[in-house]
Amino acid sequence: QVQFVESGGGLVHPGGSLRLSCAAPGFTLDGYAIGWFRQAPGKGREFVASISWRVTDTVYADSVKGRFTISRDNAKNTVYLQMNSLEPEDTAVYYCNMVNPTLRIRRPLFDDWGQGTQVTVSS
C-alpha cells in the first residue's frame, strides 16, 4: 500500500517561502495525479493544488492561486509545492495524496494519509 511522506515544512515570517516535498517510498507514482491538501487547527482538510501525471494540467485553490506552484519530478518519484508570499492563513499541516485524474474533482483517492508536514507562518 502507498505511504506518503511529506517534508519541507517549518516556521516562516509572512511573505516568506517554503518548498514542500511529497514522496512515496517503495511505491511508484507513475500514472497518478497527485494533490496537496492542508488542515488548519479546528478545521477540516481542504484542497490546495493538484497536478496530472504528465504535467499537462494543474489546479489550484483560489486561496493559493498565484502564490503556490505545484510541480513534480517523475524520475525522482516526488511532487513539490513551492509556496511563496506565505500568509498566516496558510498555517496548517500539509498532506499529499493521489487525486482523481479529472483534477477538477479535487478529491483524494486514498484513505492512507501520511504524517504531513507542519507549515507555520507567523510574525
Side-chain angles (χ1 to χ4, degrees):
Q1 299 186 53
V2 62
Q3 181 175 345
F4 296 102
V5 179
E6 301 91 348
S7 62
L11 174 64
V12 298
H13 296 298
S17 298
L18 286 172
R19 190 182 76 162
L20 308 184
S21 297
C22 170
F27 187 92
T28 179
L29 300 178
D30 191 344
Y32 291 99
I34 303 296
W36 284 95
F37 301 80
R38 67 186 182 185
Q39 186 169 17
K43 297 183 178 181
R45 201 160 43 233
E46 67 175 357
F47 171 83
V48 177
S50 62
I51 186 169
S52 62
W53 165 240
R54 298 300 182 187
V55 199
T56 57
D57 197 14
T58 57
V59 173
Y60 296 92
D62 290 340
S63 59
V64 306
K65 192 174 299 182
R67 300 187 298 117
F68 291 9
T69 302
I70 188 170
S71 63
R72 67 192 300 168
D73 185 338
N74 292 334
K76 295 182 178 180
N77 205 40
T78 303
V79 178
Y80 305 98
L81 184 68
Q82 178 66 47
M83 306 184 296
N84 299 324
S85 301
L86 283 163
E87 306 168 350
E89 292 74 19
D90 296 316
T91 296
V93 178
Y94 284 71
Y95 305 88
C96 58
N97 206 324
M98 298 178 187
V99 297
N100 194 293
T102 303
L103 301 185
R104 64 178 177 83
I105 295 178
R106 304 188 179 198
R107 293 183 178 181
L109 295 181
F110 279 80
D111 292 329
D112 297 329
W113 296 90
Q115 187 70 32
T117 185
Q118 177 71 52
V119 172
T120 302
V121 185
S122 176
S123 60

